[in-house]
Amino acid sequence: MRCHFLTLPSLTFPVWLLATTFLPVIAALCPSAASAADRPNVILIYTDDQGSLDLNCFGSSDLQTPNLDALAERGVRFTQMYAPSAICSASRAGLMTGRFPARAGVPANVSSSQGQSGMPETEVTIAEWLRAAGYATGHIGKWHLGYTPDTMPNGQGFQYSFGHMGGCIDNYSHFFYWNGPNRHDLWRNGQEVFHDGEFFLDLMVEEAGLFIDAHRQEPFFLYWAINAPHYPMQGTSKWRRHYRSLPSPRRQYAEFVSTVDEKVGELFDFLDRNSLREHTLIIVQSDHGHSTEERAFWGGGNAGPYRGAKGCLFEGGIRVPSIASWPARIPQGEVREQLATGCDWFPTIADLCGLSQPDHHLDGKSLAAVLESSQAPSPHDHFFWLLGRGHNAQWAVRRDDWKLLGNANDRSDGKNRVPVDKLFLANLNQDIGEQKNLADEHPAIVAELQAIRQQHLESMGMEE
């Protein structure tokens, strides 16, 4: 079932009366939890368009990312973490619901226009699950999952929300410029607010501090969805000076990545000053690979050996940096090579917080055992991606070392697209760069992976 919550300022008196009357009933039907003393605070940091290797601890050597590198030393770093999708809205739907984005009703990006819905309100989010168990829930940053009251954060389980509802904003004017007319997009709990000239990432740090300070006496869940290094790339003057010798577009990209790292560090410093770090589960992950769009200067991110980028299902579009840290429980300074996905964080957080798992279908699996031991098997024997709608939608199935892509698209070079066989089979153990198509050589493997795809389509009520 779905557990609905609305902030009191948006309620008329009769609705508020109904809410207070039935809230105990709703809570009774939602997940039970361990005692408050055993439940960690949770901060889920979702970066935007950050490439596969774009932290020094993941393999880049030309970046300054000391805060996130230090977080990896205080936690677990994943080398085979996959985004739920290769575009923004779909990836966030998978993160919030623990389900394939298509199953959650978001196979592609949703509209950035006010009044347009997005992820169906019938979906149960991790915020709703935690709130029903007594957590204070806050969203700060990017949303991009709907622009109506029911599909904005306050309608999807968040008691508090500050940020933009569309896909991106200018970080100083807070206007959405992707297409006209230019429109302001900054909201607090469903009400438009204005902070013209203030750097959005600074506002995110400030808002996070206020939210945490207000709820430090109770367990809290903060979804800190930072709109960077997504374009417009607006690194601070400090980092522009630092990277002035790097060629474009790496220069602009690096400026913004280090700005992200600095602001994340400010958030971590706040936790340390208030003695909250030890008992706070921090998860950091990118929503998908780096952008090669014109607005991103045609690139700048580092996919290393991986083919692809944002918007495609080759490894560079979906294999992302990911770190989890909880000093009181999770091992420190370790690496996990097991296959994992962003859909796994919902059941993992529920598990680590002592909550029951939802009784509806989740495609994600708990990573609690994997976090605790490098010897634990991946909870997945395969995974499935579906990006887009209709017969031309991109899709992929990975099982063991085999990966089959359908309607394959390579966005490694935003200016000059490389033609790709529409049905593409790779063996990641032999060819991590997915350069050689083995489909003709292994028809039985192709058939097996196509059958897995078909099973998932049928389970979601989709036609071939």
Side-chain angles (χ1 to χ4, degrees), residues 22-77:
F22 290 105
L23 185 58
V25 177
I26 294 171
L29 294 173
C30 286
S32 59
S35 66
D38 297 327
R39 292 180 286 172
N41 305 311
V42 181
I43 299 179
L44 179 53
I45 300 174
Y46 221 41
T47 63
D48 202 349
D49 291 12
Q50 186 169 1
S52 305
L53 271 61
D54 281 320
L55 290 173
N56 279 10
C57 61
F58 277 89
S60 286
S61 59
D62 58 348
L63 298 176
Q64 289 291 315
T65 56
N67 295 295
L68 289 169
D69 294 341
L71 184 72
E73 288 299 315
R74 297 190 67 178
V76 166
R77 177 171 61 87

Coordinates of all heavy atoms in Angstrom, one line a residue, residues 22-77:
F22 N -6.5 9.9 11.1 CA -6.1 8.6 10.6 C -4.6 8.3 10.5 O -4.2 7.2 10.1 CB -6.7 8.5 9.1 CG -8.2 8.3 9.1 CD1 -9.0 9.4 8.8 CD2 -8.8 7.2 9.5 CE1 -10.3 9.3 8.8 CE2 -10.1 7.1 9.5 CZ -10.9 8.1 9.1
L23 N -3.8 9.3 10.9 CA -2.3 9.0 10.9 C -1.9 7.8 11.7 O -1.1 7.0 11.2 CB -1.6 10.3 11.3 CG 0.0 10.2 11.2 CD1 0.4 10.0 9.8 CD2 0.6 11.5 11.7
P24 N -2.4 7.6 12.9 CA -2.0 6.4 13.6 C -2.4 5.1 12.9 O -1.7 4.2 13.0 CB -2.8 6.5 14.9 CG -3.1 8.0 15.1 CD -3.3 8.5 13.7
V25 N -3.5 5.2 12.2 CA -3.9 4.0 11.4 C -2.9 3.7 10.3 O -2.5 2.6 10.0 CB -5.4 4.1 10.9 CG1 -5.7 2.9 10.0 CG2 -6.3 4.3 12.0
I26 N -2.6 4.8 9.6 CA -1.7 4.7 8.4 C -0.3 4.2 8.9 O 0.3 3.3 8.4 CB -1.5 6.1 7.8 CG1 -2.8 6.5 7.1 CG2 -0.3 6.0 6.7 CD1 -2.8 7.9 6.6
A27 N 0.2 4.7 10.0 CA 1.5 4.3 10.6 C 1.5 2.8 11.0 O 2.4 2.1 10.8 CB 1.9 5.2 11.7
A28 N 0.3 2.4 11.5 CA 0.2 1.0 11.9 C 0.3 0.0 10.7 O 0.8 -1.1 10.8 CB -1.1 0.8 12.6
L29 N -0.1 0.5 9.5 CA -0.1 -0.3 8.4 C 1.2 -0.2 7.6 O 1.5 -1.0 6.7 CB -1.2 0.1 7.4 CG -2.7 -0.2 7.9 CD1 -3.7 0.4 7.0 CD2 -2.9 -1.7 8.2
C30 N 2.1 0.7 8.0 CA 3.4 0.9 7.3 C 4.4 0.2 8.1 O 4.2 -0.4 9.2 CB 3.6 2.4 7.2 SG 2.6 3.1 5.9
P31 N 5.7 0.3 7.7 CA 6.7 -0.6 8.3 C 7.0 -0.4 9.8 O 7.0 0.8 10.2 CB 8.0 -0.3 7.5 CG 7.7 1.1 6.9 CD 6.3 1.1 6.7
S32 N 7.3 -1.4 10.5 CA 7.8 -1.3 11.8 C 9.3 -1.1 11.8 O 9.9 -1.3 10.8 CB 7.5 -2.6 12.6 OG 8.1 -3.7 12.0
A33 N 9.8 -0.6 12.9 CA 11.2 -0.3 12.9 C 11.9 -0.8 14.2 O 11.2 -1.0 15.2 CB 11.4 1.2 12.7
A34 N 13.2 -0.8 14.2 CA 13.9 -1.1 15.5 C 13.8 0.2 16.3 O 13.3 1.2 15.9 CB 15.4 -1.4 15.1
S35 N 14.3 0.1 17.6 CA 14.3 1.2 18.5 C 15.1 2.4 17.9 O 16.0 2.2 17.1 CB 14.9 0.9 19.8 OG 16.3 0.6 19.7
A36 N 14.7 3.6 18.3 CA 15.3 4.8 17.7 C 16.8 4.8 17.9 O 17.6 5.3 17.1 CB 14.7 6.1 18.3
A37 N 17.3 4.3 19.0 CA 18.7 4.3 19.4 C 19.5 3.4 18.4 O 20.7 3.6 18.2 CB 18.9 3.8 20.8
D38 N 18.9 2.4 17.8 CA 19.5 1.5 16.9 C 19.5 2.0 15.4 O 20.1 1.3 14.5 CB 18.9 0.1 17.0 CG 19.1 -0.5 18.3 OD1 20.2 -0.2 19.0 OD2 18.2 -1.2 18.8
R39 N 18.7 3.0 15.1 CA 18.5 3.4 13.8 C 19.5 4.5 13.4 O 19.5 5.6 14.0 CB 17.0 3.9 13.6 CG 16.0 2.8 13.7 CD 14.6 3.3 13.5 NE 14.2 4.0 14.7 CZ 13.0 4.7 14.7 NH1 12.3 4.8 13.7 NH2 12.7 5.4 15.8
P40 N 20.2 4.4 12.3 CA 21.1 5.4 11.9 C 20.3 6.6 11.2 O 19.2 6.4 10.7 CB 22.0 4.7 10.9 CG 21.1 3.7 10.2 CD 20.2 3.2 11.4
N41 N 20.9 7.8 11.3 CA 20.5 8.8 10.3 C 20.9 8.4 8.9 O 21.9 7.6 8.8 CB 21.1 10.1 10.7 CG 20.9 10.5 12.1 OD1 19.7 10.5 12.6 ND2 21.9 10.9 12.8
V42 N 20.3 8.9 7.9 CA 20.6 8.5 6.5 C 20.7 9.7 5.7 O 19.8 10.6 5.7 CB 19.6 7.5 5.9 CG1 20.0 7.1 4.5 CG2 19.4 6.3 6.8
I43 N 21.9 9.9 5.0 CA 22.0 11.0 4.0 C 22.4 10.3 2.7 O 23.4 9.6 2.6 CB 23.1 12.0 4.5 CG1 22.8 12.6 5.8 CG2 23.3 13.0 3.4 CD1 23.8 13.6 6.3
L44 N 21.5 10.5 1.7 CA 21.7 10.0 0.4 C 22.0 11.1 -0.5 O 21.2 12.0 -0.8 CB 20.4 9.3 0.0 CG 20.3 8.6 -1.4 CD1 21.4 7.7 -1.6 CD2 18.9 7.9 -1.6
I45 N 23.3 11.1 -1.0 CA 23.8 12.2 -1.9 C 23.8 11.7 -3.3 O 24.5 10.7 -3.6 CB 25.2 12.6 -1.4 CG1 25.1 13.2 0.0 CG2 25.7 13.7 -2.4 CD1 26.5 13.5 0.6
Y46 N 23.0 12.3 -4.2 CA 23.0 11.8 -5.6 C 23.5 13.0 -6.4 O 23.0 14.0 -6.5 CB 21.5 11.6 -6.0 CG 21.3 10.4 -6.8 CD1 21.9 9.2 -6.6 CD2 20.3 10.4 -7.9 CE1 21.7 8.1 -7.4 CE2 20.1 9.3 -8.7 CZ 20.8 8.1 -8.4 OH 20.5 7.0 -9.2
T47 N 24.7 12.7 -7.0 CA 25.3 13.7 -7.9 C 24.7 13.5 -9.3 O 24.0 12.6 -9.5 CB 26.9 13.5 -7.9 OG1 27.2 12.3 -8.4 CG2 27.4 13.7 -6.5
D48 N 25.1 14.4 -10.2 CA 24.3 14.5 -11.4 C 25.3 14.6 -12.6 O 26.1 15.5 -12.7 CB 23.5 15.8 -11.4 CG 22.3 15.7 -12.4 OD1 22.3 14.8 -13.2 OD2 21.5 16.6 -12.3
D49 N 25.3 13.6 -13.5 CA 26.2 13.5 -14.6 C 27.6 13.4 -14.3 O 28.5 13.9 -14.9 CB 26.0 14.8 -15.5 CG 24.7 14.9 -16.2 OD1 23.8 14.1 -15.9 OD2 24.6 15.8 -17.1
Q50 N 27.9 12.6 -13.2 CA 29.3 12.4 -12.8 C 29.8 11.1 -13.4 O 29.3 10.1 -13.2 CB 29.4 12.4 -11.3 CG 30.9 12.3 -10.8 CD 31.0 12.5 -9.3 OE1 30.0 12.7 -8.6 NE2 32.2 12.5 -8.7
G51 N 30.9 11.2 -14.2 CA 31.4 10.1 -14.9 C 31.9 9.0 -14.1 O 32.2 9.1 -12.9
S52 N 32.1 7.8 -14.8 CA 32.5 6.6 -14.1 C 33.7 6.7 -13.2 O 33.8 6.0 -12.2 CB 32.7 5.5 -15.1 OG 31.6 5.3 -16.0
L53 N 34.7 7.4 -13.6 CA 36.0 7.5 -12.9 C 36.2 8.9 -12.3 O 37.3 9.2 -11.9 CB 37.1 7.2 -13.8 CG 37.6 5.7 -13.9 CD1 36.4 4.8 -14.5 CD2 38.8 5.5 -14.8
D54 N 35.2 9.7 -12.2 CA 35.4 11.1 -11.8 C 35.4 11.4 -10.3 O 34.8 12.3 -9.8 CB 34.4 12.0 -12.6 CG 34.9 12.2 -14.0 OD1 36.1 12.4 -14.2 OD2 34.0 12.2 -14.9
L55 N 36.2 10.6 -9.6 CA 36.8 10.9 -8.3 C 38.2 10.3 -8.4 O 38.4 9.3 -9.0 CB 36.0 10.2 -7.2 CG 34.6 10.8 -6.9 CD1 33.9 10.0 -5.9 CD2 34.7 12.3 -6.5
N56 N 39.1 10.9 -7.6 CA 40.5 10.3 -7.7 C 40.5 8.9 -7.1 O 41.2 8.0 -7.6 CB 41.4 11.2 -6.8 CG 41.9 12.4 -7.7 OD1 41.4 12.7 -8.7 ND2 42.9 13.1 -7.1
C57 N 39.6 8.6 -6.1 CA 39.6 7.3 -5.6 C 39.0 6.2 -6.5 O 39.1 5.0 -6.3 CB 38.8 7.2 -4.3 SG 37.1 7.7 -4.4
F58 N 38.4 6.7 -7.7 CA 37.9 5.8 -8.7 C 38.8 5.7 -9.9 O 38.5 5.0 -10.9 CB 36.5 6.2 -9.1 CG 35.5 5.6 -8.2 CD1 35.1 6.3 -7.1 CD2 34.9 4.4 -8.4 CE1 34.2 5.8 -6.2 CE2 34.0 3.8 -7.5 CZ 33.6 4.6 -6.4
G59 N 39.9 6.5 -9.9 CA 40.9 6.3 -11.0 C 41.3 7.6 -11.7 O 42.3 7.6 -12.5
S60 N 40.6 8.7 -11.5 CA 41.1 10.0 -12.1 C 42.4 10.4 -11.4 O 42.5 10.3 -10.1 CB 40.0 11.0 -12.1 OG 39.0 10.8 -13.0
S61 N 43.2 11.1 -12.1 CA 44.5 11.6 -11.5 C 44.6 13.1 -11.6 O 45.6 13.7 -11.1 CB 45.7 10.9 -12.1 OG 45.7 11.2 -13.5
D62 N 43.7 13.7 -12.3 CA 43.8 15.2 -12.5 C 42.7 16.0 -11.8 O 42.6 17.2 -12.0 CB 43.6 15.5 -14.0 CG 42.3 15.0 -14.6 OD1 41.6 14.2 -13.9 OD2 42.0 15.3 -15.7
L63 N 42.1 15.4 -10.8 CA 41.0 16.1 -10.0 C 41.5 16.2 -8.6 O 42.3 15.5 -8.1 CB 39.7 15.2 -10.0 CG 39.1 15.0 -11.4 CD1 37.8 14.1 -11.2 CD2 38.7 16.3 -12.0
Q64 N 40.9 17.2 -7.9 CA 41.0 17.4 -6.5 C 39.7 17.1 -5.9 O 38.7 17.8 -6.0 CB 41.4 18.9 -6.2 CG 42.8 19.2 -6.6 CD 43.8 18.5 -5.7 OE1 43.7 18.5 -4.5 NE2 44.9 18.0 -6.3
T65 N 39.6 15.9 -5.2 CA 38.3 15.4 -4.6 C 38.6 14.9 -3.2 O 38.3 13.7 -2.9 CB 37.6 14.4 -5.5 OG1 38.6 13.3 -5.8 CG2 37.2 15.0 -6.8
P66 N 39.3 15.6 -2.3 CA 39.7 15.1 -1.1 C 38.6 14.6 -0.1 O 38.8 13.7 0.6 CB 40.5 16.2 -0.5 CG 40.0 17.5 -1.1 CD 39.6 17.1 -2.5
N67 N 37.5 15.3 -0.2 CA 36.4 14.9 0.8 C 35.8 13.6 0.4 O 35.5 12.8 1.3 CB 35.4 16.1 0.8 CG 36.0 17.3 1.4 OD1 36.4 17.4 2.5 ND2 36.1 18.4 0.5
L68 N 35.5 13.4 -0.8 CA 34.9 12.1 -1.2 C 35.9 11.0 -1.2 O 35.5 9.9 -0.9 CB 34.2 12.3 -2.6 CG 32.9 13.1 -2.5 CD1 32.4 13.5 -3.9 CD2 31.8 12.4 -1.7
D69 N 37.1 11.3 -1.5 CA 38.2 10.3 -1.4 C 38.3 9.9 0.1 O 38.5 8.7 0.4 CB 39.5 10.8 -1.9 CG 39.5 11.1 -3.4 OD1 38.7 10.6 -4.1 OD2 40.4 11.9 -3.8
A70 N 38.2 10.8 1.0 CA 38.3 10.5 2.4 C 37.1 9.7 2.9 O 37.2 8.8 3.7 CB 38.4 11.8 3.3
L71 N 35.9 10.0 2.3 CA 34.7 9.2 2.6 C 34.9 7.7 2.2 O 34.5 6.8 2.9 CB 33.5 9.8 1.9 CG 32.2 9.1 2.2 CD1 31.7 9.4 3.6 CD2 31.1 9.5 1.2
A72 N 35.5 7.5 1.0 CA 35.8 6.1 0.6 C 36.7 5.4 1.6 O 36.6 4.2 1.9 CB 36.4 6.1 -0.8
E73 N 37.7 6.2 2.2 CA 38.6 5.6 3.2 C 37.8 5.3 4.5 O 38.3 4.5 5.3 CB 39.7 6.6 3.5 CG 40.7 6.6 2.4 CD 41.4 5.3 2.1 OE1 41.8 4.6 3.1 OE2 41.5 4.9 0.9
R74 N 36.7 5.9 4.7 CA 35.9 5.7 5.9 C 34.7 4.8 5.6 O 33.8 4.7 6.4 CB 35.4 7.0 6.5 CG 36.5 7.9 7.0 CD 35.9 9.1 7.8 NE 35.3 8.6 9.0 CZ 34.8 9.5 9.9 NH1 34.8 10.8 9.7 NH2 34.3 9.0 11.1
G75 N 34.7 4.1 4.4 CA 33.6 3.3 4.1 C 33.9 2.3 3.0 O 35.1 1.8 2.9
V76 N 33.0 2.0 2.2 CA 33.1 1.0 1.2 C 32.9 1.6 -0.2 O 31.9 2.4 -0.4 CB 32.0 -0.2 1.4 CG1 31.9 -1.0 0.1 CG2 32.4 -1.0 2.6
R77 N 33.8 1.3 -1.1 CA 33.7 1.8 -2.5 C 33.3 0.7 -3.4 O 33.9 -0.4 -3.4 CB 35.0 2.4 -2.9 CG 35.1 2.9 -4.3 CD 36.4 3.7 -4.5 NE 37.6 2.9 -4.3 CZ 38.2 2.2 -5.2 NH1 37.6 2.1 -6.4 NH2 39.3 1.5 -5.0

